Amino acid sequence: MRVHYFAWDEALWQDLHQHVGLQRLFQYLVVQQAGDVEAALQILRELQAEGHLDPSLDLERFAQRLEEQELVRDAGGRLELTPRGERDLRRGALEHIWGHMRGRGSGQHPVPREGAGSEALPETQPFTFGDDLDRVDFKAALKNAMRRSAGEELQLQEGDLEVHETELRTSCASVLLLDISHSMILYGEDRITPAKRVALALTELILTQYPKDSLDLVLFGDEARSVPLAELPYVQVGPYHTNTQAALQLARRLLGRRKHANKQVLLITDGKPSCIREEGGLYKNSFGLDPRIVHRTLDEAVILRRQRIPITTFMVARDPYLQRFVERLTELNHGRAYLASLQNLDEYVLVDFIRHRRRRQTGPWA
């Protein structure tokens, strides 16, 4: 391999370094502004005017670069995200939260042994009674028969047959539940932005690492509804209560349609269910944890456990009484919970009722 060396261009290095840092800030603001590119750029201008950004930064040139990279496009005089830009948001969130995952392994589905499966390998092994005939390598069988016959009449025997080995892989059907209730921005605390970044990172991880898996996105407030994954960057909080029971019920119905070997629910919330649907309408109570609402929600966790569907909860709040509810839900479901801080999603407390452990960690969630 031939390597070419050039003179160090300090100005080019500084330009690239500033662009990368500015792009990360831009990604965060776009998520915060529900996918509104113009609003994110305006905030950058205001930050620069207030002295929080280097005044030498050329924000107009930055916007042009985003267009050149096809991350944004002009739509009637306003810039908007392109599909590539939406993928870039997911990738940026994944790199931020799971930045060290590559070095520690990503928990892939393959297991270190061969067995029955749909992934045919180029390697072959001798045929044995009971092997699937669709896996027979007839080219190899003919070569074996010709080598054995040595010019005599060609006769194919059982000993000539070889079959392709297969790799045992498991697939998983996932439903991602995202809380869009008013409590996610209550009292001026922005919980929805870190929640969306976790959702974007999980989506990118599943779509890129496990292409044979399925992933459904469910937003829940007063009600729960399934939406396309492409809507994730544009999600906004509404004047809703938190119907976690409806979200878990919808997840159970969606997973019931899937034929995957494994199934799971990924729940991103601040941990406080505040309403349920009853025959008389919507029963709601925003004050504390209403036992009537809590018990109905926990019942859903138990039903999912009986169906061998674990719930992994990502909680973006640190209120002790809300954490106790999430821990109870996790215990009844035999699932996992990650109790994260809003300031640093890399720092979390893992509550794992599958392995009966609780620990504080710093690093990638895995």
Side-chain angles (χ1 to χ4, degrees):
M1 181 179 67
R2 184 172 298 176
V3 180
H4 297 276
Y5 293 92
F6 300 92
W8 178 259
D9 190 334
E10 182 64 27
L12 176 60
W13 164 250
Q14 291 295 336
D15 185 43
L16 291 173
H17 182 70
Q18 289 178 343
H19 178 78
V20 170
L22 196 57
Q23 189 164 350
R24 289 176 180 170
L25 177 58
F26 169 76
Q27 288 177 338
Y28 178 86
L29 292 174
V30 169
V31 174
Q32 185 186 58
Q33 297 299 312
D36 191 331
V37 173
E38 292 289 349
L41 290 173
Q42 181 58 34
I43 292 175
L44 288 177
R45 297 186 190 100
E46 293 173 0
L47 289 173
Q48 188 178 52
E50 295 171 2
H52 300 295
L53 290 179
D54 189 338
S56 66
L57 289 175
D58 190 342
L59 296 183
E60 297 307 317
R61 175 56 185 153
F62 172 72
Q64 291 176 5
R65 281 190 179 182
L66 294 177
E67 286 193 80
E68 292 168 0
Q69 295 171 349
E70 298 182 352
L71 300 177
V72 301
R73 63 189 170 198
D74 191 306
R78 287 182 59 86
L79 294 178
E80 66 176 16
L81 288 173
T82 63
R84 183 174 179 178
E86 294 168 356
R87 290 194 300 272
D88 194 60
L89 286 183
R90 298 198 302 264
R91 184 167 55 249
L94 180 62
E95 290 175 353
H96 172 73
I97 298 176
W98 280 274
H100 305 289
M101 180 172 286
R102 294 186 185 91
R104 303 185 185 181
S106 56
Q108 294 183 356
H109 297 331
V111 295
R113 65 177 184 275
E114 296 153 357
S118 59
E119 298 293 328
L121 299 175
E123 294 81 8
T124 59
Q125 61 186 14
F127 174 86
T128 57
F129 181 77
D131 283 340
D132 190 347
L133 295 179
D134 291 337
R135 292 167 47 206
V136 173
D137 185 344
F138 287 101
K139 288 184 179 180
L142 288 173
K143 288 180 181 179
N144 293 336
M146 292 173 64
R147 189 180 299 113
R148 179 181 49 76
S149 300
E152 300 178 1
E153 183 179 356
L154 185 64
Q155 291 184 346
L156 190 65
Q157 298 180 3
E158 181 178 342
D160 301 322
L161 299 178
E162 296 183 12
V163 293
H164 284 285
E165 295 176 352
T166 57
E167 186 176 18
L168 181 61
R169 286 176 177 261
T170 59
S171 61
C172 184
S174 303
V175 177
L176 177 59
L177 308 179
L178 179 58
D179 186 348
I180 58 170
S181 64
H182 183 65
S183 63
M184 297 293 279
I185 56 170
L186 198 60
Y187 309 123
E189 186 173 56
D190 181 9
R191 298 174 179 177
I192 189 62
T193 299
K196 285 171 61 176
R197 299 191 79 189
V198 172
L200 287 164
L202 286 169
T203 301
E204 181 68 6
L205 180 68
I206 292 172
L207 292 179
T208 57
Q209 295 294 321
Y210 314 121
K212 293 189 177 180
D213 288 9
S214 70
L215 177 62
D216 293 285
L217 173 63
V218 171
L219 307 179
F220 66 100
D222 291 346
E223 307 289 348
R225 59 188 177 94
S226 178
V227 300
L229 292 174
E231 289 191 19
L232 186 52
Y234 311 99
V235 168
Q236 299 184 62
V237 169
Y240 311 123
H241 293 78
T242 311
N243 195 340
T244 310
Q245 182 203 23
L248 295 175
Q249 286 177 335
L250 180 54
R252 184 156 47 88
R253 290 198 298 271
L254 291 171
L255 291 173
R257 303 169 189 168
R258 301 294 186 180
K259 303 301 181 183
H260 295 70
N262 300 298
K263 300 176 181 181
Q264 66 174 341
V265 173
L266 305 170
L267 172 63
I268 305 176
T269 181
D270 60 1
K272 181 182 178 181
S274 59
C275 72
I276 52 175
R277 175 65 61 180
E278 296 184 329
E279 293 183 1
L282 193 67
Y283 173 77
K284 52 193 177 183
N285 185 353
S286 301
F287 300 98
L289 289 171
D290 187 311
R292 183 171 168 186
I293 297 172
V294 167
H295 292 158
R296 292 277 293 276
T297 305
L298 295 178
D299 286 345
E300 288 298 322
V302 173
I303 294 172
L304 286 167
R305 184 197 70 200
R306 291 171 179 167
Q307 296 181 356
R308 299 181 182 274
I309 300 175
I311 302 172
T312 298
T313 304
F314 298 85
M315 181 176 173
V316 288
R318 299 302 289 268
D319 308 65
Y321 80 103
L322 296 180
Q323 287 188 11
R324 286 194 293 272
F325 165 76
V326 169
E327 290 186 20
R328 181 57 177 161
L329 180 143
T330 305
E331 179 182 14
L332 290 175
N333 177 256
H334 293 179
R336 291 185 177 92
Y338 297 93
L339 313 178
S341 66
L342 298 178
Q343 292 73 26
N344 191 347
L345 294 176
D346 287 339
E347 297 179 357
Y348 60 91
V349 175
L350 168 65
V351 180
D352 188 346
F353 283 94
I354 296 176
R355 298 184 180 180
H356 306 288
R357 63 185 180 186
R358 177 189 178 100
R359 65 176 184 269
R360 182 177 299 276
Q361 290 190 204
T362 301
W365 296 357

